[in-house]
Amino acid sequence: MSTISVQAQKLPRDETPFADVGSARDFAEQLMAQAQSEFELKGKQPTQLVFLNATEVHIVDVPISTRENERIAVGNMTIKLTHDLRAFGVATVSEAWLVPGATEAEAENPAMLLQRDDKEEVLLVRASWDDQNNGEPTTAAKALLIVRDKGRSPALVERPDLFTSEGVDGILLLKKQGEGAVGMQAFQRPIMI
């Protein structure tokens, strides 16, 4: 039997930088700005779930697990919190591997993808927003390349070509604890940058 433990905080929305966020794109941009400053202080980024409703911001730090049952539990927790908190904005921020040009068929063997020399480490934000006026959910994402030079602190570098108008040119593998343990996150539709 395994367990997952999370850290969570609840903030009044009007006292946070998310006070005026009104779309998936706004949400992704604001969350990336915060993740970037956090990364520059610590040199790493915990996987976070962020939920917005009309009055509150809920931030949950989630350990990414190598165990399938724990990954399923985190997915179920995300769905339940979205419903229970009446969140119309939900976003994640995490570190990931981008394997350029990789296909979904290749993702069936993620260990092989991770052995590729052309993979790139990114700080990834994904946001979804349920527009209360027309009921249409929208998504947005932002990513920055993580550069790790020996003897220096990790740095974030702008790479506008990481996403195309058709979405991601390749496969995103979310990092997990444990060698070779990865989860695929492929975007199926175009993503605004």
Side-chain angles (χ1 to χ4, degrees), residues 18-180:
F18 299 104
D20 298 324
V21 166
S23 69
R25 188 170 184 168
D26 291 348
F27 198 6
E29 287 175 354
Q30 184 58 55
L31 193 51
M32 178 54 88
Q34 291 198 201
Q36 190 169 357
S37 62
E38 212 172 300
F39 185 93
E40 286 166 0
L41 285 175
K42 301 177 187 173
K44 61 184 179 180
Q45 173 65 50
T47 296
Q48 289 182 328
L49 298 170
V50 182
F51 302 88
L52 293 189
N53 61 30
T55 59
E56 297 168 338
V57 178
H58 296 261
I59 302 171
V60 183
D61 287 349
V62 182
I64 302 256
S65 174
T66 58
R67 298 174 187 234
E68 184 177 4
N69 65 325
E70 291 181 356
R71 295 194 302 270
I72 292 169
V74 168
N76 290 341
M77 179 188 75
T78 304
I79 294 167
K80 180 160 177 36
L81 284 175
T82 302
H83 180 269
D84 289 354
L85 300 173
R86 298 184 181 182
F88 43 76
V90 181
T92 62
V93 54
S94 57
E95 292 181 18
W97 293 108
L98 171 64
V99 186
T103 64
E104 287 189 45
E106 290 175 281
E108 292 176 10
N109 188 349
M112 291 296 293
L113 287 180
L114 284 181
Q115 292 176 15
R116 285 183 35 175
D117 291 335
D118 63 342
K119 70 182 183 298
E120 298 180 291
E121 197 175 8
V122 297
L123 179 63
L124 175 69
V125 169
R126 297 163 293 150
S128 63
W129 193 268
D130 187 9
D131 190 330
Q132 303 295 305
N133 296 325
N134 62 17
E136 286 294 314
T138 59
T139 61
K142 289 190 74 66
L144 291 173
L145 192 66
I146 300 172
V147 177
R148 299 186 193 274
D149 291 328
K150 289 185 179 176
R152 294 184 174 182
S153 297
L156 296 173
V157 178
E158 292 276 357
R159 277 281 304 278
D161 60 331
L162 287 177
F163 294 117
T164 71
S165 61
E166 299 299 316
V168 178
D169 180 21
I171 292 292
L172 284 162
L173 301 168
L174 300 187
K175 287 188 176 181
K176 290 196 169 68
Q177 296 169 352
E179 186 73 25

